[in-house]
Amino acid sequence: MKIVFASGNEGKVKEIREMLAGMGVELVSLKNYSGVPEIIEDGKTFLENALKKARKIAEFTGETVLADDSGLSVDELGGEPGIYSARYAGEKATDDDNIDLLLSRLKNIPLEKRTAFFCCALVLYRVDGSYDSFESKWNGRIIDDRRGDNGFGYDPIFYVPQLKKTAAEMQPELKNRVSHRGQAFAQLKKALEEKLKN
Ligand code: IMP
């Protein structure tokens, strides 16, 4: 089964290939295509953005497409940065810039009120216009000091009380098992396994 992943990010493609290993899925990167249309992520939710990406790329490639969208929502900030997670501090913002801005907005807010969750939406879109979607959340708290060197994005300040670690202090195997992305992919994998059985 051939699936085009709606991203040219080789790191992500590699990670997802590993998650789907042994399932008879050939995951193709968008890097293999030229003239890929630019997609404006103007949806209001992670799911809307993933669906838009998946639909556009399926129309462009004529193949089944997998698209994802993810980000961090902080309750006390009304869900910010949400769908703007990657560009919270501006179009060219680094992870550090985004973390600094988030922490400045949470100044004086006590830890017990700093609840947050990561969300990952996945859409598997077929050329006939039918699709399956999966969504998963990962709850934690935003802490003031950065801890750990693993991961990316907001991982150093995303603290998971049950595991007594930030996401950046977790080994990749652990993070991939418990995270929003790991859980959404577990759902996708289960659905694909069911389909491939029938
Ligand atoms: P995208 O899904 O590649 O568009 O990523 C959106 C943004 O959300 C990333 O650039 C990060 O800032 C943030 N994000 C999503 N998932 C994670 C995660 O697992 N750890 C840390 N930050 C994340």
Side-chain angles (χ1 to χ4, degrees), residues 9 12 41 53 68-72 82 85-87 95 98 118-119 138 151-155 167 175 179-181:
N9 180 332
K12 250 193 193 178
E41 293 187 25
K53 271 189 269 187
D68 76 337
D69 199 38
S70 61
L72 175 72
S85 291
R87 49 198 153 117
D95 287 344
N98 288 331
F118 277 123
C119 182
W138 190 24
F152 68 103
Y154 299 90
D155 280 348
K175 184 186 168 192
S179 76
H180 51 314
R181 195 168 297 102

Side-chain angles (χ1 to χ4, degrees), residues 50-65 123-133 195:
L51 180 57
K52 182 174 180 184
K53 271 189 269 187
R55 181 186 292 126
K56 294 261 178 206
I57 300 300
E59 284 164 5
F60 171 70
T61 59
E63 303 280 356
T64 298
V65 169
V123 172
L124 186 70
Y125 194 96
R126 290 167 284 268
V127 279
D128 64 5
S130 65
Y131 67 89
D132 294 310
S133 63
K195 287 235 161 80

Side-chain angles (χ1 to χ4, degrees), residues 19-46:
M19 291 200 230
L20 300 179
M23 297 191 59
V25 169
E26 183 202 351
L27 195 76
V28 180
S29 161
L30 258 194
K31 274 253 161 73
N32 297 348
Y33 292 86
S34 56
V36 177
E38 198 201 338
I39 297 159
I40 317 265
E41 293 187 25
D42 56 359
K44 288 190 195 69
T45 63
F46 299 111

Side-chain angles (χ1 to χ4, degrees), residues 76-141:
E76 192 67 15
L77 300 177
E80 273 187 30
I83 51 168
Y84 304 104
S85 291
R87 49 198 153 117
Y88 193 38
E91 283 301 329
K92 296 214 166 82
T94 62
D95 287 344
D96 255 343
D97 297 336
N98 288 331
I99 288 180
D100 284 341
L101 178 62
L102 183 65
L103 292 179
S104 74
R105 299 218 162 138
L106 285 173
K107 226 171 143 187
N108 302 324
I109 309 254
L111 186 64
E112 64 272 17
K113 284 194 171 170
R114 286 165 169 233
T115 50
F117 62 87
F118 277 123
C119 182
C120 175
L122 288 178
V123 172
L124 186 70
Y125 194 96
R126 290 167 284 268
V127 279
D128 64 5
S130 65
Y131 67 89
D132 294 310
S133 63
F134 310 91
E135 206 166 17
S136 195
K137 288 179 180 167
W138 190 24
N139 291 310
R141 266 159 213 242

